[in-house]
Amino acid sequence: MSAPSLPAPAPASAGLFSTPPAAASGRHLLGLEGMSRAALEGLLEESAAERDWLRKGAPNRDDLAGCSVMLTFIEDSTRTRTSFEVAARRLGANVFTFSASTSSLNKGETLLDTMKVFEAMGAQLVVLRHSQSGSPAYLARHLPRTGIINAGDGMHEHPTQGLLDLLTLRDAWGGRFEGRRLAIVGDIAHSRVARSAIAGLTTLGALVTVCGPGTLMPAEVESLGCARAETIEEAMTDADGVMALRIQQERMEKGLLPSLVEYARVWGVDMARVERMKDDAVVMHPGPVNHGVEVDSTIAEYGRNVILQQVANGVAARCAVLRRCWSAWKAELS
Protein backbone atom coordinates (compact mmCIF):
# COMPACT_ATOMS: atom_id res chain seq x y z
CA MET A 1 0.00 0.00 0.00
CA SER A 2 1.40 3.37 -0.89
CA ALA A 3 0.94 6.56 1.05
CA PRO A 4 -1.80 8.87 -0.19
CA SER A 5 -0.61 11.44 -2.70
CA LEU A 6 -2.45 14.14 -0.81
CA PRO A 7 -1.96 13.72 2.93
CA ALA A 8 -4.96 14.01 5.16
CA PRO A 9 -5.28 17.31 7.00
CA ALA A 10 -3.19 17.37 10.13
CA PRO A 11 -5.15 17.50 13.39
CA ALA A 12 -5.07 20.47 15.69
CA SER A 13 -2.59 18.69 17.93
CA ALA A 14 -0.24 18.18 15.02
CA GLY A 15 0.80 21.42 13.85
CA LEU A 16 3.11 23.27 13.80
CA PHE A 17 5.11 22.31 16.86
CA SER A 18 4.63 24.84 19.58
CA THR A 19 7.65 27.07 19.66
CA PRO A 20 8.38 28.57 23.06
CA PRO A 21 11.71 30.35 23.36
CA ALA A 22 14.55 27.84 23.27
CA ALA A 23 17.13 29.61 25.34
CA ALA A 24 20.08 27.32 25.94
CA SER A 25 22.73 29.09 27.86
CA GLY A 26 24.10 29.66 31.31
CA ARG A 27 22.68 27.52 34.06
CA HIS A 28 19.71 26.37 31.94
CA LEU A 29 19.37 23.86 29.11
CA LEU A 30 15.96 24.40 27.54
CA GLY A 31 16.48 23.21 23.97
CA LEU A 32 18.94 22.62 21.13
CA GLU A 33 17.16 25.03 18.80
CA GLY A 34 19.16 28.22 18.68
CA MET A 35 22.29 26.71 20.22
CA SER A 36 25.45 27.68 18.36
CA ARG A 37 27.45 25.07 16.50
CA ALA A 38 30.45 25.72 18.74
CA ALA A 39 28.39 25.18 21.89
CA LEU A 40 26.86 22.01 20.50
CA GLU A 41 30.22 20.61 19.43
CA GLY A 42 31.62 21.47 22.84
CA LEU A 43 28.86 19.54 24.59
CA LEU A 44 29.49 16.56 22.31
CA GLU A 45 33.20 16.61 23.14
CA GLU A 46 32.42 16.75 26.84
CA SER A 47 29.86 13.94 26.48
CA ALA A 48 32.41 11.75 24.72
CA ALA A 49 34.93 12.40 27.49
CA GLU A 50 32.35 11.49 30.12
CA ARG A 51 31.60 8.27 28.26
CA ASP A 52 35.28 7.32 28.26
CA TRP A 53 35.32 7.84 32.02
CA LEU A 54 32.12 5.82 32.55
CA ARG A 55 33.42 2.94 30.45
CA LYS A 56 36.47 2.63 32.67
CA GLY A 57 34.26 1.94 35.67
CA ALA A 58 36.21 4.52 37.66
CA PRO A 59 35.00 5.63 41.12
CA ASN A 60 32.45 8.43 41.44
CA ARG A 61 33.74 11.99 41.13
CA ASP A 62 32.87 15.12 43.10
CA ASP A 63 32.24 17.56 40.24
CA LEU A 64 28.75 18.26 41.60
CA ALA A 65 29.70 18.27 45.27
CA GLY A 66 27.42 20.71 47.09
CA CYS A 67 24.85 20.68 44.31
CA SER A 68 21.28 19.59 45.03
CA VAL A 69 19.50 18.20 41.96
CA MET A 70 15.71 17.87 42.07
CA LEU A 71 14.33 15.33 39.59
CA THR A 72 10.83 16.59 38.81
CA PHE A 73 9.04 14.27 36.41
CA ILE A 74 5.41 15.29 36.07
CA GLU A 75 5.15 12.78 33.21
CA ASP A 76 6.14 9.11 33.44
CA SER A 77 9.68 8.22 32.45
CA THR A 78 12.05 5.30 32.87
CA ARG A 79 15.14 5.93 30.74
CA THR A 80 15.46 9.68 31.13
CA ARG A 81 14.77 9.86 34.86
CA THR A 82 17.07 6.94 35.67
CA SER A 83 19.76 8.24 33.35
CA PHE A 84 19.74 11.68 35.01
CA GLU A 85 19.81 10.08 38.46
CA VAL A 86 22.77 7.85 37.59
CA ALA A 87 24.64 10.78 36.05
CA ALA A 88 24.02 13.10 39.00
CA ARG A 89 25.03 10.51 41.60
CA ARG A 90 28.15 9.52 39.66
CA LEU A 91 29.21 13.17 39.81
CA GLY A 92 28.59 13.51 43.54
CA ALA A 93 25.35 15.52 43.63
CA ASN A 94 22.66 15.32 46.27
CA VAL A 95 19.73 13.90 44.32
CA PHE A 96 16.07 14.26 45.29
CA THR A 97 13.06 12.89 43.45
CA PHE A 98 9.76 14.75 43.41
CA SER A 99 6.60 12.68 43.20
CA ALA A 100 3.79 14.73 41.67
CA SER A 101 1.15 12.14 42.53
CA THR A 102 1.61 12.72 46.28
CA SER A 103 2.34 16.46 46.18
CA SER A 104 0.44 19.67 46.80
CA LEU A 105 -0.11 19.95 43.05
CA ASN A 106 -3.10 17.74 43.77
CA LYS A 107 -4.37 20.42 46.18
CA GLY A 108 -4.26 23.14 43.58
CA GLU A 109 -0.75 24.49 44.13
CA THR A 110 0.80 25.75 40.90
CA LEU A 111 3.94 24.30 39.41
CA LEU A 112 5.74 27.61 39.90
CA ASP A 113 4.82 27.78 43.58
CA THR A 114 6.03 24.21 44.07
CA MET A 115 9.31 25.02 42.35
CA LYS A 116 9.73 28.14 44.49
CA VAL A 117 9.49 25.88 47.53
CA PHE A 118 12.28 23.72 46.14
CA GLU A 119 14.35 26.82 45.41
CA ALA A 120 13.86 28.03 48.99
CA MET A 121 15.00 24.63 50.23
CA GLY A 122 18.25 25.01 48.28
CA ALA A 123 17.73 23.02 45.09
CA GLN A 124 20.20 24.52 42.62
CA LEU A 125 19.29 22.44 39.57
CA VAL A 126 15.83 21.19 38.64
CA VAL A 127 15.46 18.51 35.96
CA LEU A 128 11.92 18.93 34.66
CA ARG A 129 9.70 16.77 32.47
CA HIS A 130 6.25 18.16 31.85
CA SER A 131 3.41 17.62 29.39
CA GLN A 132 3.10 21.34 28.72
CA SER A 133 5.39 22.75 26.03
CA GLY A 134 7.34 25.71 27.32
CA SER A 135 7.06 24.88 31.03
CA PRO A 136 10.88 24.71 31.54
CA ALA A 137 11.30 28.09 29.84
CA TYR A 138 8.55 29.52 32.03
CA LEU A 139 10.27 28.35 35.20
CA ALA A 140 13.63 29.61 33.97
CA ARG A 141 12.14 33.10 33.66
CA HIS A 142 10.64 33.09 37.15
CA LEU A 143 13.18 31.27 39.34
CA PRO A 144 16.15 33.57 39.94
CA ARG A 145 18.38 31.09 41.76
CA THR A 146 17.68 27.77 40.04
CA GLY A 147 19.03 26.17 36.90
CA ILE A 148 16.42 24.40 34.78
CA ILE A 149 17.23 21.39 32.62
CA ASN A 150 14.53 20.37 30.18
CA ALA A 151 13.94 16.61 30.32
CA GLY A 152 11.15 16.79 27.74
CA ASP A 153 8.34 19.36 27.50
CA GLY A 154 5.17 18.47 25.66
CA MET A 155 5.65 18.55 21.90
CA HIS A 156 8.52 21.06 22.09
CA GLU A 157 11.99 19.62 22.77
CA HIS A 158 13.93 16.88 24.52
CA PRO A 159 17.43 18.35 24.35
CA THR A 160 19.39 15.70 26.27
CA GLN A 161 17.82 13.01 24.07
CA GLY A 162 18.89 15.07 21.09
CA LEU A 163 22.42 15.32 22.48
CA LEU A 164 22.73 11.57 23.04
CA ASP A 165 21.37 10.92 19.54
CA LEU A 166 24.00 13.24 18.10
CA LEU A 167 26.73 11.50 20.10
CA THR A 168 25.56 8.13 18.76
CA LEU A 169 25.57 9.40 15.19
CA ARG A 170 28.94 11.08 15.70
CA ASP A 171 30.37 7.65 16.50
CA ALA A 172 28.58 5.89 13.65
CA TRP A 173 29.53 8.52 11.08
CA GLY A 174 33.17 8.87 12.04
CA GLY A 175 32.70 12.33 13.50
CA ARG A 176 31.48 13.87 10.25
CA PHE A 177 27.96 15.32 9.96
CA GLU A 178 28.28 17.33 6.76
CA GLY A 179 26.64 15.56 3.84
CA ARG A 180 25.13 12.85 6.02
CA ARG A 181 21.38 12.31 5.98
CA LEU A 182 19.06 10.90 8.62
CA ALA A 183 15.48 9.78 7.90
CA ILE A 184 13.04 10.31 10.78
CA VAL A 185 9.91 8.20 10.45
CA GLY A 186 6.56 8.18 12.19
CA ASP A 187 4.75 10.42 14.64
CA ILE A 188 6.53 13.65 13.82
CA ALA A 189 3.68 15.80 15.12
CA HIS A 190 3.90 14.76 18.74
CA SER A 191 7.65 14.13 18.90
CA ARG A 192 9.89 16.41 20.93
CA VAL A 193 12.66 13.92 20.08
CA ALA A 194 12.29 14.74 16.38
CA ARG A 195 12.38 18.46 17.00
CA SER A 196 15.62 18.30 19.01
CA ALA A 197 17.19 15.93 16.47
CA ILE A 198 16.31 18.21 13.57
CA ALA A 199 17.68 21.26 15.40
CA GLY A 200 20.93 19.56 16.35
CA LEU A 201 21.62 17.81 13.06
CA THR A 202 20.95 20.82 10.88
CA THR A 203 23.17 22.98 13.09
CA LEU A 204 26.00 20.49 12.52
CA GLY A 205 25.49 20.41 8.75
CA ALA A 206 23.57 17.14 8.33
CA LEU A 207 20.36 16.73 6.36
CA VAL A 208 17.09 15.41 7.75
CA THR A 209 14.18 13.90 5.84
CA VAL A 210 10.94 13.26 7.72
CA CYS A 211 8.02 11.08 6.72
CA GLY A 212 4.94 9.61 8.31
CA PRO A 213 1.16 9.48 8.13
CA GLY A 214 -0.39 12.75 7.04
CA THR A 215 -2.39 12.83 10.25
CA LEU A 216 0.86 12.81 12.25
CA MET A 217 2.74 15.37 10.18
CA PRO A 218 2.81 19.05 11.26
CA ALA A 219 1.83 21.64 8.72
CA GLU A 220 4.83 23.44 7.23
CA VAL A 221 7.23 20.95 8.82
CA GLU A 222 9.86 22.02 6.28
CA SER A 223 10.16 25.34 8.13
CA LEU A 224 12.14 23.44 10.78
CA GLY A 225 14.93 22.97 8.24
CA CYS A 226 14.13 19.43 7.09
CA ALA A 227 12.81 17.86 3.89
CA ARG A 228 9.62 15.84 3.70
CA ALA A 229 9.16 12.54 1.85
CA GLU A 230 5.81 11.04 0.94
CA THR A 231 6.86 7.42 1.55
CA ILE A 232 9.24 5.65 3.88
CA GLU A 233 10.97 4.11 0.86
CA GLU A 234 11.73 7.59 -0.49
CA ALA A 235 12.99 8.79 2.90
CA MET A 236 15.27 5.82 3.55
CA THR A 237 16.79 5.33 0.09
CA ASP A 238 20.52 6.18 0.29
CA ALA A 239 20.10 7.55 3.83
CA ASP A 240 22.91 7.25 6.39
CA GLY A 241 20.49 6.25 9.11
CA VAL A 242 16.88 6.04 10.16
CA MET A 243 15.24 7.02 13.42
CA ALA A 244 11.89 5.36 14.03
CA LEU A 245 9.72 7.30 16.47
CA ARG A 246 7.44 5.94 19.13
CA ILE A 247 3.75 6.33 18.41
CA GLN A 248 2.60 8.59 21.23
CA GLN A 249 -0.97 7.50 21.63
CA GLU A 250 -1.19 9.28 24.98
CA ARG A 251 -0.88 12.63 23.14
CA MET A 252 -3.08 11.82 20.16
CA GLU A 253 -6.59 12.72 19.36
CA LYS A 254 -8.64 9.65 18.53
CA GLY A 255 -8.80 8.38 14.98
CA LEU A 256 -5.40 9.53 13.72
CA LEU A 257 -4.34 5.98 12.82
CA PRO A 258 -6.56 3.34 11.18
CA SER A 259 -4.70 0.55 12.96
CA LEU A 260 -1.25 -0.35 14.24
CA VAL A 261 -1.15 -3.25 11.77
CA GLU A 262 -1.57 -0.87 8.85
CA TYR A 263 0.94 1.56 10.37
CA ALA A 264 3.54 -1.21 10.60
CA ARG A 265 2.92 -2.20 6.99
CA VAL A 266 3.17 1.31 5.57
CA TRP A 267 5.59 3.05 7.94
CA GLY A 268 7.41 0.32 9.90
CA VAL A 269 11.21 -0.04 9.60
CA ASP A 270 11.98 -3.56 8.37
CA MET A 271 15.00 -5.19 6.76
CA ALA A 272 13.74 -4.69 3.20
CA ARG A 273 13.59 -0.96 3.84
CA VAL A 274 16.89 -0.92 5.75
CA GLU A 275 18.58 -2.43 2.69
CA ARG A 276 17.63 0.70 0.75
CA MET A 277 20.02 2.72 2.91
CA LYS A 278 23.80 2.92 2.63
CA ASP A 279 25.79 -0.11 3.77
CA ASP A 280 26.96 1.58 6.98
CA ALA A 281 23.58 3.12 7.84
CA VAL A 282 22.28 2.83 11.41
CA VAL A 283 18.85 2.17 12.91
CA MET A 284 17.81 4.29 15.90
CA HIS A 285 14.79 4.55 18.19
CA PRO A 286 14.42 6.74 21.31
CA GLY A 287 12.46 4.03 23.15
CA PRO A 288 10.38 2.52 24.47
CA VAL A 289 9.95 0.48 21.28
CA ASN A 290 6.60 -0.89 20.17
CA HIS A 291 8.11 -4.02 18.62
CA GLY A 292 6.49 -5.11 15.41
CA VAL A 293 4.96 -1.66 14.90
CA GLU A 294 7.62 1.06 14.54
CA VAL A 295 10.48 -1.44 14.14
CA ASP A 296 10.24 -5.00 12.86
CA SER A 297 11.50 -7.67 15.26
CA THR A 298 14.18 -8.73 12.75
CA ILE A 299 15.95 -5.38 13.25
CA ALA A 300 17.14 -6.62 16.65
CA GLU A 301 19.70 -8.74 14.80
CA TYR A 302 20.82 -5.96 12.48
CA GLY A 303 24.48 -5.22 13.10
CA ARG A 304 24.02 -1.46 12.81
CA ASN A 305 21.16 -1.30 15.30
CA VAL A 306 22.38 1.33 17.80
CA ILE A 307 19.33 1.57 20.05
CA LEU A 308 21.13 0.34 23.16
CA GLN A 309 24.11 2.56 22.37
CA GLN A 310 21.69 5.48 22.51
CA VAL A 311 20.68 4.43 26.04
CA ALA A 312 24.30 4.09 27.17
CA ASN A 313 25.22 7.46 25.69
CA GLY A 314 22.38 9.04 27.65
CA VAL A 315 24.24 8.87 30.96
CA ALA A 316 27.36 10.43 29.42
CA ALA A 317 25.40 13.24 27.77
CA ARG A 318 23.57 14.04 31.00
CA CYS A 319 26.84 14.07 32.94
CA ALA A 320 28.11 16.70 30.52
CA VAL A 321 24.93 18.79 30.77
CA LEU A 322 24.81 18.64 34.57
CA ARG A 323 28.46 19.66 34.84
CA ARG A 324 28.00 22.56 32.46
CA CYS A 325 24.84 23.86 34.16
CA TRP A 326 26.36 23.51 37.63
CA SER A 327 29.51 25.32 36.54
CA ALA A 328 27.41 28.16 35.13
CA TRP A 329 25.25 28.26 38.27
CA LYS A 330 28.34 28.71 40.45
CA ALA A 331 29.72 31.40 38.16
CA GLU A 332 26.44 33.35 38.17
CA LEU A 333 25.12 32.87 41.68
CA SER A 334 27.62 31.60 44.21
Side-chain angles (χ1 to χ4, degrees), residues 200-326:
L201 283 165
T202 54
T203 296
L204 295 174
L207 307 173
V208 179
T209 301
V210 299
C211 70
T215 51
L216 300 179
M217 186 65 63
E220 302 176 13
V221 67
E222 295 89 345
S223 67
L224 297 176
C226 59
R228 177 180 176 179
E230 294 299 331
T231 67
I232 188 172
E233 287 80 9
E234 178 187 348
M236 290 180 64
T237 298
D238 295 327
D240 297 283
V242 61
M243 178 188 291
L245 299 174
R246 184 176 70 84
I247 296 174
Q248 302 187 49
Q249 297 192 66
E250 72 276 15
R251 300 187 197 281
M252 289 184 186
E253 300 167 9
K254 291 183 178 179
L256 296 185
L257 290 176
S259 73
L260 295 183
V261 172
E262 180 173 326
Y263 179 90
R265 182 157 51 88
V266 179
W267 300 105
V269 174
D270 58 22
M271 282 307 303
R273 287 164 174 159
V274 165
E275 289 173 357
R276 289 175 171 270
M277 300 194 294
K278 295 179 181 175
D279 292 340
D280 63 348
V282 296
V283 175
M284 309 175 75
H285 191 296
V289 179
N290 292 310
H291 292 285
V293 179
E294 299 125 9
V295 177
D296 188 82
S297 58
T298 58
I299 297 299
E301 305 301 322
Y302 177 56
R304 300 284 287 173
N305 173 344
V306 295
I307 294 173
L308 288 180
Q309 292 176 37
Q310 292 175 262
V311 176
N313 284 337
V315 177
R318 286 159 184 137
C319 281
V321 168
L322 286 165
R323 283 186 64 239
R324 181 172 287 201
C325 290
W326 176 232

Side-chain angles (χ1 to χ4, degrees), residues 47-330:
S47 299
E50 296 293 355
R51 185 181 54 195
D52 291 343
W53 167 67
L54 290 165
R55 283 176 174 173
K56 293 176 183 175
N60 291 356
R61 304 201 313 250
D62 61 357
D63 302 55
L64 267 68
C67 177
S68 294
V69 177
M70 182 65 75
L71 303 179
T72 306
F73 282 69
I74 310 298
E75 279 190 326
D76 294 339
S77 169
T78 299
R79 290 163 182 74
T80 304
R81 184 188 58 77
T82 306
S83 183
F84 265 112
E85 182 167 358
V86 170
R89 293 191 187 281
R90 289 284 274 146
L91 295 178
N94 299 313
V95 182
F96 304 91
T97 300
F98 169 66
S99 175
S101 63
T102 57
S103 74
S104 291
L105 290 176
N106 294 324
K107 302 176 183 176
E109 186 173 72
T110 67
L111 176 65
L112 178 58
D113 283 343
T114 300
M115 294 300 113
K116 284 181 175 177
V117 170
F118 293 161
E119 187 175 62
M121 290 180 176
Q124 289 103 343
L125 297 180
V126 167
V127 178
L128 177 68
R129 169 168 288 191
H130 201 284
S131 61
Q132 185 64 47
S133 300
S135 49
Y138 173 76
L139 293 182
R141 289 195 299 271
H142 291 88
L143 294 176
R145 294 193 58 80
T146 304
I148 304 296
I149 298 173
N150 182 2
D153 62 327
M155 294 184 286
H156 175 222
E157 279 220 43
H158 193 346
T160 56
Q161 176 72 42
L163 190 60
L164 73 88
D165 289 339
L166 292 175
L167 182 60
T168 305
L169 289 171
R170 183 176 182 261
D171 297 336
W173 293 348
R176 181 176 61 85
F177 287 90
E178 286 85 357
R180 294 284 192 170
R181 184 169 68 84
L182 182 74
I184 302 180
V185 180
D187 184 2
I188 307 295
H190 302 94
S191 179
R192 53 200 177 206
V193 173
R195 187 181 179 102
S196 287
I198 293 169
L201 283 165
T202 54
T203 296
L204 295 174
L207 307 173
V208 179
T209 301
V210 299
C211 70
T215 51
L216 300 179
M217 186 65 63
E220 302 176 13
V221 67
E222 295 89 345
S223 67
L224 297 176
C226 59
R228 177 180 176 179
E230 294 299 331
T231 67
I232 188 172
E233 287 80 9
E234 178 187 348
M236 290 180 64
T237 298
D238 295 327
D240 297 283
V242 61
M243 178 188 291
L245 299 174
R246 184 176 70 84
I247 296 174
Q248 302 187 49
Q249 297 192 66
E250 72 276 15
R251 300 187 197 281
M252 289 184 186
E253 300 167 9
K254 291 183 178 179
L256 296 185
L257 290 176
S259 73
L260 295 183
V261 172
E262 180 173 326
Y263 179 90
R265 182 157 51 88
V266 179
W267 300 105
V269 174
D270 58 22
M271 282 307 303
R273 287 164 174 159
V274 165
E275 289 173 357
R276 289 175 171 270
M277 300 194 294
K278 295 179 181 175
D279 292 340
D280 63 348
V282 296
V283 175
M284 309 175 75
H285 191 296
V289 179
N290 292 310
H291 292 285
V293 179
E294 299 125 9
V295 177
D296 188 82
S297 58
T298 58
I299 297 299
E301 305 301 322
Y302 177 56
R304 300 284 287 173
N305 173 344
V306 295
I307 294 173
L308 288 180
Q309 292 176 37
Q310 292 175 262
V311 176
N313 284 337
V315 177
R318 286 159 184 137
C319 281
V321 168
L322 286 165
R323 283 186 64 239
R324 181 172 287 201
C325 290
W326 176 232
S327 178
W329 187 97
K330 289 189 291 185

Side-chain angles (χ1 to χ4, degrees), residues 13-26:
S13 64
L16 182 64
F17 296 96
S18 61
T19 54
S25 61

